[in-house]
């Protein structure tokens, strides 16, 4: 808002300055020869008033849209905002199915020599009980990459290997993650991709439209210090194997 006010003030000062400078010249080069300085000033005040009124309307509209955009950004909760029918205890056979698909994907990432870590609910499960939380519905992994790496080729390779292992796999363009589903219970695994995109010492999600369009939300809620991702990563027991938490 201050920027627009200052801009309008600058425009007014510049315009008035030009009027004062060019006034004695009778402004013959910008209008009919018979136009007087007083007539030009009167017309200029009329058009300037109209332009100023429109400018303030535009400023007000922009301000409202910006506040709405910032509010939506801050409140955006893509997973936790979804109204699910949560279960306090997922059946053990479904938990075991999640463990199986999780181990499959971890093997794929290790064969590809990719640095990965647990994330979100899976990280909490590893820290609290060294396993999947009883109410969790998926496994969350993040792949840590350099910002100059070829993300498209890496994503294509991971998806190809997952399909070869019998996992139904999709790439979600909006959120920029790979989602895989087991054949038995359709247990879900999500793989996101992080990098220090701005070389600022902070890891950001580097794929998907959401992280750029809803940048306010992601800069507050989906970042962590890059130093925590420097190898070798610490490890912890998770789904009956040693996994690196972030």
């Amino acid at each position: 808002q201050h920027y627009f006010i200052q801009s309008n003030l600058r425009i007014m000062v510049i315009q008035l300055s030009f009027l004062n400078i060019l006034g004695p010249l009778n402004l013959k080069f910008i209008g009919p020869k018979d136009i007087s300085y007083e007539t030009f000033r009167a017309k200029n005040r009329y058009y300037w008033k109209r332009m100023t009124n429109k400018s303030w309307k535009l400023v007000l509209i922009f301000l409202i849209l910006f506040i709405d955009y910032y509010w939506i950004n801050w409140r955006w909760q893509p997973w936790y905002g979804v109204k699910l029918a949560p279960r306090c205890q997922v059946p053990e056979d479904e938990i075991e199915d999640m463990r199986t698909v999780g181990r499959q994907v971890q093997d794929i990432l290790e064969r590809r020599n990719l640095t990965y870590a647990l994330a979100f609910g899976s990280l909490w499960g590893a820290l609290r009980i060294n396993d999947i939380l009883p109410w969790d519905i998926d496994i969350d992994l993040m792949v840590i990459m350099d910002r100059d790496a070829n993300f498209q080729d890496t994503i294509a390779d991971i998806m190809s290997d997952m399909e070869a292992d019998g996992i139904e796999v999709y790439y979600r363009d909006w959120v920029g993650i790979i989602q895989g589903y087991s054949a038995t219970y359709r247990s879900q695994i999500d793989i996101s991709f992080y990098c220090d995109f701005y070389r600022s010492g902070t890891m950001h999600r580097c794929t998907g439209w959401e992280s750029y369009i809803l940048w306010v939300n992601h800069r507050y809620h989906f970042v962590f210090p890059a130093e925590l991702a420097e190898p070798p990563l610490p490890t912890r027991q998770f789904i009956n194997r040693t996994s690196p938490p972030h």
Side-chain angles (χ1 to χ4, degrees):
Q1 186 180 9
H2 289 184
Y3 171 78
F4 280 99
I5 293 174
Q6 291 173 3
S7 298
N8 284 332
L9 288 175
R10 289 194 192 100
I11 293 171
M12 185 182 295
V13 170
I14 292 170
Q15 189 176 38
L16 292 176
S17 300
F18 270 99
L19 288 174
N20 291 331
I21 293 170
L22 300 177
L25 301 178
N26 205 29
L27 303 172
K28 294 180 180 180
F29 58 91
I30 60 171
K33 292 183 178 180
D34 57 346
I35 188 172
S36 66
Y37 177 64
E38 289 74 17
T39 303
F40 176 82
R41 289 293 299 271
K43 289 185 176 181
N44 184 268
R45 283 195 297 270
Y46 170 73
Y47 288 114
W48 173 251
K49 184 178 180 180
R50 289 183 60 186
M51 186 176 70
T52 304
N53 290 338
K54 290 182 179 179
S55 298
W56 278 110
K57 289 178 183 178
L58 291 175
V59 170
L60 183 60
I61 292 171
F62 176 82
L63 186 61
I64 293 172
L65 291 175
F66 180 78
I67 292 173
D68 288 343
Y69 171 78
Y70 197 94
W71 178 252
I72 292 171
N73 256 273
W74 182 257
R75 298 291 296 175
W76 182 260
Q77 297 173 330
W79 191 87
Y80 297 100
V82 177
K83 293 183 178 180
L84 301 173
R87 295 175 291 179
C88 294
Q89 178 68 55
V90 176
E92 179 58 30
D93 51 354
E94 294 185 29
I95 292 285
E96 184 57 37
D97 192 49
M98 274 194 280
R99 294 190 189 108
T100 300
V101 73
R103 287 190 288 265
Q104 284 179 283
V105 173
Q106 285 181 300
D107 288 339
I108 290 171
L109 298 178
E110 290 172 6
R111 288 200 304 268
R112 292 283 177 180
N113 294 319
L114 294 171
T115 302
Y116 71 94
L118 300 174
F120 309 120
S122 296
L123 176 60
W124 279 114
L127 294 174
R128 293 182 65 178
I129 60 174
N130 297 328
D131 202 352
I132 300 170
L133 293 171
W135 55 85
D136 206 352
I137 61 171
D138 64 358
I139 290 179
D140 299 297
L141 300 176
M142 68 166 66
V143 175
I144 299 167
M145 302 179 65
D146 185 81
R147 72 168 191 175
D148 298 323
N150 192 323
F151 286 88
Q152 291 183 342
D153 287 351
T154 301
I155 290 170
D157 291 340
I158 294 172
M159 293 179 65
S160 176
D161 290 350
M162 290 173 68
E163 288 179 344
D165 280 2
I167 302 172
E168 185 180 341
V169 62
Y170 302 93
Y171 179 69
R172 307 299 185 189
D173 296 281
W174 170 247
V175 290
I177 66 174
I178 294 175
Q179 283 187 342
Y181 300 90
S182 68
T184 308
Y185 289 102
R186 291 189 60 78
S187 297
Q188 181 176 329
I189 184 165
D190 295 338
I191 308 171
S192 53
F193 297 85
Y194 276 74
C195 68
D196 186 358
F197 186 81
Y198 299 102
R199 305 289 193 203
S200 60
T202 303
M203 301 296 286
H204 302 269
R205 184 178 288 178
C206 290
T207 53
W209 293 103
E210 182 188 68
S211 60
Y212 298 98
I213 295 176
L214 300 177
W215 59 271
V216 176
N217 182 279
H218 277 258
R219 296 305 176 266
Y220 278 102
H221 303 304
F222 292 89
V223 297
F224 62 92
E227 61 185 19
L228 297 180
E230 294 178 359
L233 297 180
T235 58
R236 197 172 186 91
Q237 286 296 315
F238 182 70
I239 58 174
N240 299 326
R241 69 177 293 164
T242 301
S243 304
H246 91 58

